[in-house]
Amino acid sequence: MSLADPAAAQNPKGPPDAALEHARKLLRSTPLIDGHNDLPWEIRHSKTAPRDVQAYDLRARTPGHTDLARLEEGGVAAQFWSLYIPGEIKDSGYARVQLEEFDIARRMIAAYPERLSLALTAGDIERNFKQRRLSSLLGMEGGHAIENSLGALRSYYALGARYLTLTHNVTLDWADAALDSARHGGLTEFGKEVVREMNRLGMLVDLSHVSPATMSDVLDVAEAPVIFSHSSARALVDYPRNVPDSILARMPKNGGVVMVTFVPAFVSSEVQAWEQAEAAAGKQVDSIVTDSIERRKRRDAWEAEHPRPQATLAQVADHIEHVRDVAGVEHVGIGSDFDGITTVPVGLEDVASFPRLFAELIRRGWSDADLRKLAGQNLLRAFHQAEATAARLQATRQPSTQTIEELDGPSRPTS
Ligand SMILES: [Zn+2]
């Protein structure tokens, strides 16, 4: 399907799509804030010119999901660029890779001064939107980056990080991850101190990727709204990266925002089941075949016999409506994970496709007021609130100098 003309793709022969026109108009009058896009990592690992932000030219059509023209077409007003670093790195430590990710993102933002602006506050997003400039926010993905140091956390804030996803896929010394074994039953005492210090700084606590027990512990200690930068609803797809209803129900009291993601396996039970079966089949092949070419052949044969199902835009809309129904319309947002996923739902192929999702919700009867909340007003409210909390806390609380040894004891369990 051609992405050059999404209106035509949506409605190949028929009259202009009124809902889509309505969606485009709405997104010109209200900021759309996407919670998660992995473009900096995509640039880092570009096949042709890794780490070269000039070569990965956003003024041209890129091989990935994101470029300037498609951001414009998608009506994106503000993007949290994810500064993801793998939790599995064991070479010279996490800080080097994390700092390189800051460098790539900040060079990328600086390369398009006519279009991109670094945004550090909710007010920056509002100002940039009025000036038709795309706000670029930095979100760190993976608390391993702070290497158990609150001083490192503060330094990353000073470099511009405005959220930290507490874990990625690996359980830390102070927080359990959703996709790893639980070692703490949630947060340790030091983990709670990390949350308190983030609240004091005004850095949003991102609960995507943590275990439900960690989510619950954070909500117990959080003084400011949390976010989920890219998670969907666990009641619809029972995947550990999704948010259980018991946590969704706690959003009104906390003030947080669950930014629904497009990751196919989180959105569609069929895709999730297929991925599990595919992994199991792959494991089985590996256990009986050692030759890598033969392994590839057998895996391809399996896939030919078991075609991959596709997630759909309508399923993403179902997750948005579920979060609205359980958490409330004040607590739902969008966190695509574009450029962090290799497959996409049908209808949500890249950053140009957001208006189609809004068109679907318009057809389902969503009011303009609710669509504005979903698009960005909820995130702006939570961000403003986190800033106000930080100002209040900074008046009475000094930067924490606590260490993990002081709070959790000298002999912590290791993985
Ligand atoms: Zn992620």
Side-chain angles (χ1 to χ4, degrees):
M1 178 165 68
S2 163
L3 291 170
D5 185 357
Q10 178 82 26
N11 208 358
K13 290 205 179 71
D17 182 333
L20 189 59
E21 286 314 306
H22 182 163
R24 291 189 190 286
K25 207 172 149 202
L26 182 96
L27 294 177
R28 282 194 291 272
S29 68
T30 200
L32 170 61
I33 305 173
D34 181 59
H36 204 89
N37 181 306
D38 276 303
L39 181 58
W41 191 255
E42 182 77 8
I43 294 174
R44 182 187 178 92
H45 288 282
S46 153
K47 286 199 183 73
T48 48
R51 302 173 301 283
D52 184 340
V53 300
Q54 304 297 334
Y56 200 96
D57 184 2
L58 297 182
R59 292 190 186 97
R61 172 94 186 189
T62 64
H65 298 144
T66 312
D67 53 48
L68 294 181
R70 283 182 286 170
L71 285 164
E72 177 83 30
E73 189 180 339
V76 180
Q79 181 67 62
F80 278 96
W81 303 112
S82 168
L83 305 184
Y84 160 72
I85 68 164
E88 296 83 0
I89 301 168
K90 297 285 185 229
D91 58 358
S92 65
Y94 300 124
R96 177 181 62 84
V97 183
Q98 185 65 72
L99 291 169
E100 286 173 358
E101 284 297 278
F102 272 95
D103 172 61
I104 288 172
R106 296 197 63 143
R107 282 190 289 124
M108 178 190 91
I109 296 162
Y112 307 95
E114 77 287 1
R115 190 72 190 90
L116 304 185
S117 286
L118 181 69
L120 299 172
T121 64
D124 285 348
I125 299 176
E126 290 158 344
R127 257 188 308 282
N128 288 336
F129 182 67
K130 284 195 190 118
Q131 297 167 6
R132 314 309 293 175
R133 297 168 65 76
L134 202 154
S135 291
S136 285
L137 296 114
L138 306 178
M140 288 165 65
E141 185 168 23
H144 45 282
I146 70 167
E147 301 183 50
N148 301 339
S149 162
L150 297 177
L153 174 73
R154 286 189 287 273
S155 296
Y156 288 131
Y157 178 86
L159 282 174
R162 288 300 175 267
Y163 75 60
L164 170 67
T165 316
L166 292 188
T167 72
H168 189 250
N169 290 339
V170 177
T171 285
L172 310 183
D173 289 335
W174 47 271
D176 289 336
L179 293 173
D180 199 355
S181 48
R183 277 162 46 202
H184 318 293
L187 283 180
T188 67
E189 285 308 312
F190 181 75
K192 292 174 191 170
E193 190 71 1
V194 171
V195 171
R196 281 190 286 264
E197 189 63 9
M198 288 175 72
N199 287 164
R200 197 193 64 81
L201 286 166
M203 195 176 192
L204 293 163
V205 177
D206 177 16
L207 297 182
S208 284
H209 281 285
V210 302
S211 73
T214 304
M215 296 174 195
S216 180
D217 282 356
V218 170
L219 290 170
D220 288 344
V221 295
E223 296 157 280
V226 300
I227 62 164
F228 288 83
S229 73
H230 59 309
S231 292
S232 295
R234 192 146 182 188
L236 299 191
V237 175
D238 188 16
Y239 195 96
R241 275 280 284 100
N242 285 340
V243 190
D245 280 357
S246 59
I247 299 294
L248 291 178
R250 295 178 67 180
M251 285 302 111
K253 185 154 181 245
N254 168 265
V257 184
V258 179
M259 305 175 90
V260 171
T261 195
F262 304 170
V263 183
F266 304 179
V267 164
S268 154
S269 296
E270 293 74 30
V271 174
Q272 188 210 5
W274 184 91
E275 286 192 359
Q276 277 175 351
E278 192 244 10
K283 234 181 180 172
Q284 218 227 331
V285 167
D286 292 355
S287 71
I288 49 176
V289 180
T290 50
D291 178 62
S292 62
I293 295 169
E294 181 62 20
R295 277 182 175 177
R296 187 71 266 158
K297 244 171 84 182
R298 294 217 193 175
R299 279 169 180 260
D300 289 348
W302 186 90
E303 196 164 336
E305 266 175 56
H306 306 83
R308 173 189 278 273
Q310 285 184 295
T312 65
L313 180 153
Q315 287 172 325
V316 173
D318 292 343
H319 283 267
I320 289 173
E321 294 200 313
H322 184 84
V323 174
R324 175 199 61 182
D325 292 345
V326 180
V329 75
E330 319 285 332
H331 305 284
V332 61
I334 293 173
S336 65
D337 208 11
F338 279 130
D339 276 322
I341 45 181
T342 48
T343 60
V344 290
V346 178
L348 291 171
E349 280 78 12
D350 59 15
V351 296
S353 57
F354 292 109
R356 279 179 260 163
L357 180 58
F358 282 77
E360 169 71 14
L361 296 169
I362 289 164
R363 283 189 288 269
R364 293 185 184 198
W366 279 56
S367 69
D368 282 4
D370 285 355
L371 291 168
R372 289 176 198 277
K373 290 175 185 170
L374 168 73
Q377 283 181 350
N378 288 340
L379 193 280
L380 282 172
R381 181 206 66 234
F383 198 177
H384 276 298
Q385 209 177 317
E387 290 169 351
T389 301
R392 177 171 58 78
L393 295 176
Q394 283 170 23
T396 55
R397 199 194 289 168
Q398 292 302 308
S400 171
T401 56
Q402 298 263 262
T403 67
I404 194 165
E405 289 79 13
E406 285 165 2
L407 290 173
D408 294 346
S411 56
R412 298 182 309 279
T414 49
S415 43

